[in-house]
Amino acid sequence: MAYLVGPALSAGLFGIVGASLMLGVNAGTTAVLAATALVLVLRVERPESAEPDSWNLFNGVRDGWRAIRSSAIVAATMPLLILIMISTSIEAVAGVFWLRQISGSDMLYGLVLSCWAVGSIIGAYLAGTKRLAPRTMLLIVGGGLCMALAILAEGLAPIAIIIGIAFVIGGMGNGTHNVGVRNMFFQDISQAHTGSAWAYYRMLTSTSVAIGYIVGTPRTPGEAQSMVIVAGVCALVGVLVAFVALRLLRLHRRNPRSHATPAPRDEADPSTVVSN
């Protein structure tokens, strides 16, 4: 709800009180939240472990990577998840400059951003229905495709109302994609390794976001549109890679022995050896 109301509300307040006061209030509330999180973390008791290196950072990373690699489906979709995070992060930076340029007013800019939040709520709801909830790959790949097309529409159609409609569709894809990713981790990775796999995925997510923020920062005022288009193409490439990877995985499961080399039936009798 905060994501839904926040952009439009902040745009209206910006025109009344200005940027300095809003940024000061934002900094103060962020500091309060950070202090609260720190207190809660310090109060949590760590579980005791007999392993001397149980809290080693690199061991945790290695365990998370192994957990993800243990599931062929999760490993096949990982390029899509990384490229989606990079592309949406690029758009999150470049899109600010581009949308402000074409919206013309703070209120319209906030309303366009809210369209994505509206779509996210709808998408998350649809992803939880009985008909769509079991179709995890459709939620992940289809949601990624909706986001890719929405970002491309943002860069190629500089009209606020068109971008608003595209953002509703992209937000729906965002909501279904997030639900699909969560379901995939809990369905395709054993319960004993879900935590380490999810932690490793969150590390990849944070790294992808950092890369997207750096790449998405426009060097010139007119470069923002190009960066938004690059973000859409990046997300679309991730969808295509995931589609091909999942297709090959399905074919491999149908024919698990199609590439196996026949073994000799009797090494003592050369006539029975199958030559390659």
Side-chain angles (χ1 to χ4, degrees):
M1 184 59 67
Y3 185 33
L4 176 63
V5 179
L9 179 61
S10 61
L13 291 175
F14 175 79
I16 298 175
V17 302
S20 298
L21 180 58
M22 289 192 63
L23 291 176
V25 173
N26 188 31
T29 54
T30 302
V32 172
L33 292 175
T36 303
L38 179 61
V39 171
L40 293 176
V41 169
L42 293 177
R43 293 178 61 182
V44 174
E45 296 183 1
R46 289 186 175 184
E48 296 182 359
S49 175
E51 299 179 6
D53 58 348
S54 59
W55 296 101
N56 186 287
L57 173 63
F58 296 102
N59 284 344
V61 172
R62 184 170 60 249
D63 292 342
W65 171 243
R66 288 175 178 173
I68 288 178
R69 290 289 298 171
S70 66
S71 172
I73 292 180
V74 177
T77 57
M78 198 53 56
L80 167 63
L81 306 184
I82 293 174
L83 289 175
I84 284 291
M85 290 305 305
I86 292 176
S87 64
T88 53
S89 301
I90 293 174
E91 191 279 333
V93 178
V96 172
F97 297 90
W98 176 233
L99 289 177
R100 285 292 293 117
Q101 179 179 339
I102 64 178
S103 61
S105 68
D106 299 326
M107 183 59 68
L108 182 58
Y109 169 69
L111 290 175
V112 171
L113 290 182
S114 297
C115 290
W116 192 283
V118 172
S120 298
I121 296 174
I122 299 173
Y125 172 78
L126 293 176
T129 59
K130 293 182 179 180
R131 185 173 183 178
L132 291 179
R135 309 183 68 176
T136 306
M137 289 301 104
L138 176 63
L139 297 178
I140 295 175
V141 180
L145 179 60
C146 289
M147 285 189 283
L149 296 178
I151 296 174
L152 280 176
E154 177 189 359
L156 297 175
I159 302 174
I161 187 171
I162 294 179
I163 295 177
I165 296 173
F167 270 24
V168 172
I169 298 174
M172 292 175 61
N174 199 167
T176 58
H177 178 85
N178 291 342
V179 173
V181 171
R182 184 202 62 186
N183 293 346
M184 178 182 66
F185 270 81
F186 283 97
Q187 292 172 0
D188 295 288
I189 295 180
S190 63
Q191 185 176 1
H193 300 95
T194 301
S196 59
W198 190 257
Y200 186 85
Y201 169 68
R202 296 306 301 173
M203 183 196 70
L204 292 178
T205 298
S206 300
T207 304
S208 301
V209 169
I211 294 174
Y213 284 169
I214 295 173
V215 175
T217 303
R219 280 70 181 174
T220 62
E223 191 183 6
Q225 181 182 11
S226 300
M227 296 308 302
V228 171
I229 296 176
V230 169
V233 173
C234 179
L236 192 58
V237 169
V239 172
L240 295 176
V241 170
F243 180 81
V244 173
L246 292 172
R247 184 67 177 176
L248 293 176
L249 179 61
R250 182 177 298 179
L251 292 175
H252 177 73
R253 288 182 173 181
R254 288 180 179 178
N255 304 298
R257 298 181 180 179
S258 59
H259 302 290
T261 302
R265 285 178 292 178
D266 187 358
E267 294 183 358
D269 186 1
S271 62
T272 61
V273 177
V274 180
S275 61
N276 291 328

